[in-house]
Amino acid sequence: LCRVEFGKSAVQNLPTRNFIRGMERDEEIVVPVSDGLDLTVKLINVGEPDSEGLVTVDFELNGSSRRIRVKDASAESTTVTREKAKEGVVGHVGASMQSVVVETRVRSGDEVKAGDPLVVLSAMKMETLVTAPKDGKVEMVYVTDGDAVAQGDLLVIIE
């Protein structure tokens, strides 16, 4: 917010102590942004990290309540981050949408022809059959039945 609306000076004007260690609950600081313009920031609450390692932070900015979610670098995420299929690489087969793997129909080393079924995905009670984009040998299968995948996640590589 500060960098977008007020430029670099807002961050440079944070009290050094707060920049290094953060704020304490119920602490209020004044950040000079430009001549005659100050931002008053009061920390209300910092929640616990969720499964993605995100923390909800409640604060007041010039008296208005705000809520943001930020990544807690010290928290471990239980969310799996998967490799993405490389665009333009025909043998990289990615998920077309966020879904769950219902069935994996190939294994590493299998020979496939263009159009052969590779993986069955389910999203919003609809199943989608992911097929081979080309003839070749399955180099690697990156998912197993029950895995949750996001759009673009790498499912299979075909040599």
Side-chain angles (χ1 to χ4, degrees), residues 58-78:
D58 296 303
F59 64 100
E60 290 179 0
L61 183 63
N62 288 341
S64 296
S65 294
R66 306 289 174 117
R67 174 175 279 180
I68 59 172
R69 290 174 29 104
V70 295
K71 182 79 173 163
D72 183 346
S74 67
E76 283 193 34
S77 174
T78 58

Side-chain angles (χ1 to χ4, degrees), residues 138-157:
V138 175
E139 181 180 314
M140 179 72 120
V141 179
Y142 285 82
V143 293
T144 58
D145 298 358
D147 284 353
V149 294
Q151 182 175 358
D153 282 357
L154 185 59
L155 304 174
V156 177
I157 294 180

Side-chain angles (χ1 to χ4, degrees), residues 2-3 8 14 20 25 35 42 46 50 65 79 87 101 108 117-118 120 122 140:
C2 292
R3 286 186 185 197
K8 219 173 168 182
L14 281 173
I20 292 171
R25 185 171 291 146
D35 290 336
K42 180 178 181 182
V46 177
D50 62 14
S65 294
T79 302
E87 288 187 38
V101 177
S108 295
L118 302 174
V120 179
S122 175
M140 179 72 120

